[in-house]
């Protein structure tokens, strides 16, 4: 699936002041809830429950929180560039500053595994990560990811 089908400009946020893992997940939930016209609390809880199974901090300053949502028929992605790196219990023990979240309808999980995989691959590209970290606007962040498709 193309990233532009799940990530929109209004779900791409640059230089977000974020103090903790919990706050990052709350912000992601709030952005997604506004876009999906849902209550943010269940979205937050689904990502928090996923984190309890094991961190989604994949290392190199990157986290890919994700979860299953109900009451929606389409997936949504949120990209956040943190103003300052935060502790996220990443597998390499390093703080993270780039979060790519993916929330998918419960019945579409298999279809979106490839979206998660392609995002992990894209964020594994040091050039792309450097560009994302140097981006100064939401539009610039969005363009970096979408232009790579």
């Amino acid at each position: 699936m193309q990233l532009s089908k799940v990530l929109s400009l209004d779900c791409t946020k640059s230089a977000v002041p974020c103090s903790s893992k919990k706050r990052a997940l709350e912000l992601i939930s709030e952005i997604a809830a506004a876009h999906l016209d849902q209550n943010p609390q269940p979205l937050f809880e689904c990502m928090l429950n996923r984190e309890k199974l094991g961190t989604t901090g994949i290392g190199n300053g990157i986290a890919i929180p994700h979860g299953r949502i109900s009451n929606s028929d389409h997936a949504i992605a949120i990209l956040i560039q943190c103003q300052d790196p935060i502790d996220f219990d990443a597998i390499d023990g390093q703080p993270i500053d780039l979060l790519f979240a993916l929330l998918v309808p419960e019945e579409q999980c298999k279809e979106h595994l490839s979206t998660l995989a392609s995002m992990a691959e894209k964020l594994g590209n040091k050039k792309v990560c450097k560009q994302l970290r140097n981006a100064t606007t939401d539009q610039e962040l969005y363009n970096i990811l979408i232009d790579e498709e």
Side-chain angles (χ1 to χ4, degrees):
M1 170 175 283
Q2 285 188 318
L3 193 52
S4 57
K5 298 226 187 278
V6 293
L7 180 67
S8 61
L9 177 58
D10 61 333
C11 291
T12 306
K13 303 294 179 190
S14 154
V16 175
C18 200
S19 54
S20 67
K21 178 179 189 171
K22 180 178 182 259
R23 184 65 189 132
L25 296 177
E26 287 171 346
L27 288 167
I28 290 167
S29 302
E30 290 164 12
I31 294 165
H35 201 269
L36 297 169
D37 195 27
Q38 290 192 21
N39 180 336
Q41 191 60 34
L43 302 176
F44 170 73
E45 288 172 5
C46 88
M47 284 188 293
L48 194 60
N49 287 336
R50 170 56 191 85
E51 288 297 320
K52 289 176 183 174
L53 298 174
T55 186
T56 58
I58 62 172
N60 298 317
I62 300 161
I64 306 180
H66 53 279
R68 299 175 181 169
I69 55 175
S70 54
N71 304 325
S72 179
D73 60 353
H74 67 279
I76 184 171
I78 294 97
L79 175 65
I80 291 181
Q81 172 204 60
C82 298
Q83 189 172 27
D84 297 305
I86 59 171
D87 180 24
F88 206 86
D89 303 318
I91 57 172
D92 63 359
Q94 297 301 306
I96 63 104
D97 60 347
L98 295 173
L99 292 104
F100 177 83
L102 184 64
L103 297 166
V104 300
E106 291 175 352
E107 63 279 354
Q108 294 178 15
C109 288
K110 286 183 181 174
E111 296 94 293
H112 291 288
L113 286 175
S114 64
T115 306
L116 273 176
S118 69
M119 195 62 227
E121 184 179 330
K122 199 171 280 196
L123 291 173
N125 180 325
K126 290 182 181 179
K127 180 184 168 205
V128 171
C129 285
K130 184 175 181 178
Q131 290 174 333
L132 290 170
R133 288 185 169 107
N134 290 329
T136 57
T137 66
D138 298 352
Q139 183 72 57
E140 193 178 352
L141 269 178
Y142 180 76
N143 289 346
I144 292 164
L145 284 184
I146 299 308
D147 288 348
E148 291 289 319
E149 288 189 322

